[in-house]
Amino acid sequence: MNEYDVASEPSGDDEISDLGVATIPAVVDRAVALYGDREAFVGDGVRLSYSELAAEVDRVAKALLAAGVDTGDRVGIWGPNSLRWLLSALATYRIGATVVPINTRFKGSEAAYVLGTAGARVLLTVTDFLDTDYPGLLVGNNTVHSLKSIVVMSGDAGTNLAWDDFVAAGVDVPDAEVTIRSAAINPDDLSDIMFTSGTTGQPKGAMLTHAATVRGFDAWATVVGLRDTDRYLIVNPFFHTFGLKSGIVAALIKGATIVPLKMFDVRAAMQMIEDERISMLPGPPSIYQTILDHPDVASFDLSSLRLAVTGAAPVSVELIRRMREELHFETVVTGYGLTESTGIITMCRHADPDETISQTSGRAIPGMEVRLVDDSGNDVAVGTPGEVLARGYTIMRGYFANPEATAETIDADGWLATGDIAVGDERGYIQITDRKKDMFIMGGFNAYPAEIERALSTYPGVSQVAVIGVPDQRMGEVGKAFIVAKPGAEIVPDDVIAWCRSSMANYKVPRFVEVVDAMPMNASGKILKFELRNRS
């Protein structure tokens, strides 16, 4: 064990609850037993208790059985956050099949690649989200040979199977068949195949298990302090680990009420917080900044807010302070994970000071290990940048049907190479400085965009910032900063550069600053730096 490892046993404010269950269907059964009459879901014009939600899950599970879905079969889900998305996922888990979530930003060829690679048997999708007919995008694509049926959860079904007809076909399936399938699930069975974004090549499908999901997000929810009285606004997409695992699964574990949004709209989110007395609101820093900067924020009652979990971008101490003082959050924590680790590796803790929450992604959750290594695989000293390696129960089984990529990512000792660069301290807390591939070298010095972004986020008037490296004939590469200004603020590029020269080492100073109206982002709120590079 080196200086970045955290022992498997809990210490201090680490708590491990004993759920007594290790599969997602068992989590649902436990929730019914503990919280049966409590409100489980609010959205799409309905309110469901935990008992009612479980009954709806079983109706959809019988429909999947009627559609011929067998144990281990893959079921694709392609659509925005909704009750039917949630039911489809939980029903798939219920019968021992595997969920394959598909990014709503994917085009037809990208979705077809995922479905074809996974060998999905059934696709549940929509035709009415953002004026997009998702099944129509697949027409003419010959790579999806495995699909036996396409079910349209909402919108015009056309020649495909409408949701009501799909569910009706399962009415005659005996309840006992669902019970038998559910009882046969092993904790180490696959729960999901979640495909990476594919920004550096074809997406790869991370194979995640029931046990990793349940144990990991029990730990996550316990560290966060999620309670059965919390009302959880899920703005993160269900197709992402943030929305599916730390959203749906964590809420089920703790008995919280799930209140999803199809996509983030600041006014709609504030109205929902007021109307539903939302207490839990995770998301990237941009969500909180957008709420704080909205001209009508004072006209909404946001006093019910209690918990915030953020990450994916630098979080300034000033933003944390404003979240506490102006948005009433009692708890603000940051964390770190990736699809290949079931979405979780490290977290800050409640007692951590704001500076720690701002500047680090916390330390390993109980049962996980973290190392920082150089290019030769040797552990680096405290304060020295190194690639993050992680080992433990949340790590994926591997990439589906891709043993070569698996071997390149997970070594013989079980260490996952994340591709992220971090600096660690003597407490085992890590500060992610950048993706290994995003680091740029200026005049022989390694420059880490996330470190520069963290500093620039404190500049007056900055709402969002992203830094990339751009080619330079003399220096090799130099930094370029893209900035979104706060409403009413004026950002002068030359002034920003001058401020940087007085605030950071010369090799870190961006040579170019471009003020933009908005950042290109993916559906989970991460800035798409490859698009920024394409502009430069």
Side-chain angles (χ1 to χ4, degrees):
M1 181 175 291
N2 63 55
E3 59 265 39
Y4 301 109
D5 289 335
V6 173
S8 297
E9 294 302 316
S11 61
D13 57 358
D14 285 345
E15 299 179 32
I16 301 178
S17 63
D18 182 13
L19 286 182
V21 296
T23 70
I24 299 171
V27 166
V28 175
D29 290 340
R30 174 181 176 275
V32 172
L34 293 177
Y35 317 113
D37 294 332
R38 297 274 189 91
E39 202 164 56
F41 182 92
V42 176
D44 295 348
V46 301
R47 294 177 181 272
L48 297 175
S49 69
Y50 268 95
S51 295
E52 292 167 335
L53 179 67
E56 289 299 309
V57 168
D58 280 0
R59 287 180 66 223
V60 180
K62 293 200 296 182
L64 289 170
L65 291 176
V69 177
D70 205 350
T71 299
D73 279 351
R74 274 75 67 191
V75 175
I77 311 179
W78 192 15
N81 293 2
S82 69
L83 174 61
R84 289 176 179 176
W85 201 112
L86 181 150
L87 294 176
S88 298
L90 295 182
T92 301
Y93 297 139
R94 187 79 166 162
I95 63 170
T98 303
V99 173
V100 181
I102 301 173
N103 192 322
T104 54
R105 303 286 183 93
F106 276 4
K107 304 302 182 184
S109 60
E110 295 168 309
Y113 175 82
V114 167
L115 291 166
T117 301
R121 184 179 183 87
V122 173
L123 171 64
L124 298 112
T125 186
V126 301
T127 61
D128 60 354
F129 180 59
L130 299 180
D131 298 320
T132 301
D133 175 3
Y134 284 101
L137 297 179
L138 298 175
V139 173
N141 195 300
N142 298 318
T143 63
V144 190
H145 303 294
S146 57
L147 274 183
K148 303 302 180 185
S149 59
I150 295 177
V151 178
V152 175
M153 296 184 288
S154 66
D156 183 5
T159 58
N160 297 303
L161 186 60
W163 175 266
D164 289 343
D165 295 333
F166 164 68
V167 174
V171 170
D172 293 331
V173 174
D175 294 345
E177 288 196 27
V178 174
T179 303
I180 292 169
R181 284 283 198 95
S182 183
I185 299 170
N186 188 293
D188 291 328
D189 288 345
L190 291 188
S191 56
D192 319 83
I193 301 174
M194 303 194 79
F195 280 75
T196 59
S197 61
T199 56
T200 58
Q202 290 283 27
K204 298 185 291 291
M207 297 186 289
L208 312 178
T209 68
H210 284 268
T213 297
V214 173
R215 183 180 173 190
F217 286 92
D218 178 34
W220 183 92
T222 299
V223 170
V224 169
L226 188 65
R227 305 170 185 162
D228 59 8
T229 53
D230 280 316
R231 300 177 69 79
Y232 191 155
L233 185 63
I234 303 181
V235 300
N236 302 294
F238 286 169
F239 66 74
H240 191 276
T241 54
F242 209 162
L244 177 54
K245 306 292 186 174
S246 59
I248 294 171
V249 174
L252 293 171
I253 288 171
K254 295 300 184 181
T257 303
I258 296 169
V259 186
L261 281 182
K262 281 187 166 52
M263 56 187 298
F264 181 72
D265 172 82
V266 63
R267 179 171 285 277
M270 291 190 293
Q271 190 66 61
M272 190 68 77
I273 293 167
E274 177 178 302
D275 292 345
E276 293 296 333
R277 306 305 296 154
I278 297 297
S279 56
M280 172 67 156
L281 176 61
S286 58
I287 284 181
Y288 309 110
Q289 191 70 63
T290 302
I291 293 174
L292 285 164
D293 290 344
H294 195 278
D296 298 330
V297 63
S299 65
F300 292 90
D301 180 2
L302 308 181
S303 61
S304 58
L305 290 173
R306 189 177 75 83
L307 300 178
V309 184
T310 190
V315 187
S316 68
V317 173
E318 173 65 12
L319 177 57
I320 294 172
R321 182 193 65 76
R322 292 188 66 195
M323 288 171 66
R324 294 189 193 280
E325 295 180 2
E326 299 175 40
L327 297 182
H328 314 288
F329 285 108
E330 296 175 11
T331 299
V332 180
V333 295
T334 49
Y336 164 70
L338 57 161
T339 302
E340 290 85 346
S341 68
T342 319
I344 182 171
I345 297 174
T346 67
M347 290 188 71
C348 286
R349 306 316 200 254
H350 281 191
D352 289 334
D354 288 353
E355 288 75 15
T356 295
I357 295 168
S358 167
Q359 296 169 13
T360 81
S361 295
R363 54 187 167 88
I365 63 170
M368 293 296 293
E369 299 174 272
V370 171
R371 295 172 59 204
L372 303 184
V373 301
D374 60 23
D375 288 340
S376 299
N378 300 312
D379 294 337
V380 301
V382 168
T384 302
E387 182 179 4
V388 180
L389 304 187
R391 182 170 69 177
Y393 64 90
T394 71
I395 302 305
M396 67 174 180
R397 184 179 294 175
Y399 291 118
F400 184 77
N402 197 338
E404 296 83 7
T406 300
E408 291 172 0
T409 306
I410 303 176
D411 70 16
D413 294 322
W415 288 102
L416 171 76
T418 68
D420 289 315
I421 301 295
V423 174
D425 65 19
E426 64 283 347
R427 303 169 300 167
Y429 282 67
I430 63 171
Q431 178 187 94
I432 304 297
T433 56
D434 234 307
R435 290 291 295 170
K436 189 173 183 179
K437 62 181 176 57
D438 285 345
M439 179 194 76
F440 63 92
I441 302 175
M442 178 182 170
F445 292 93
N446 293 346
Y448 298 98
E451 178 186 6
I452 303 168
E453 290 163 0
R454 189 172 286 109
L456 277 170
S457 67
T458 67
Y459 185 83
V462 170
S463 176
Q464 292 177 270
V465 59
V467 174
I468 63 171
V470 295
D472 181 82
Q473 188 172 5
R474 186 171 68 90
M475 303 302 294
E477 290 179 293
V478 296
K480 179 175 181 178
F482 294 84
I483 293 176
V484 176
K486 293 180 180 178
E490 182 181 0
I491 301 291
V492 180
D494 287 346
D495 292 348
V496 174
I497 294 171
W499 180 86
C500 288
R501 290 192 184 284
S502 67
S503 305
M504 61 186 72
N506 184 57
Y507 69 90
K508 300 177 185 178
V509 175
R511 278 8 184 207
F512 307 98
V513 172
E514 182 177 337
V515 180
V516 295
D517 293 331
M519 295 288 186
M521 291 188 174
N522 66 14
S524 57
K526 289 187 177 181
I527 295 173
L528 299 173
K529 289 195 172 180
F530 71 91
E531 289 196 13
L532 296 178
R533 292 189 190 95
N534 290 340
R535 297 181 189 177
S536 302

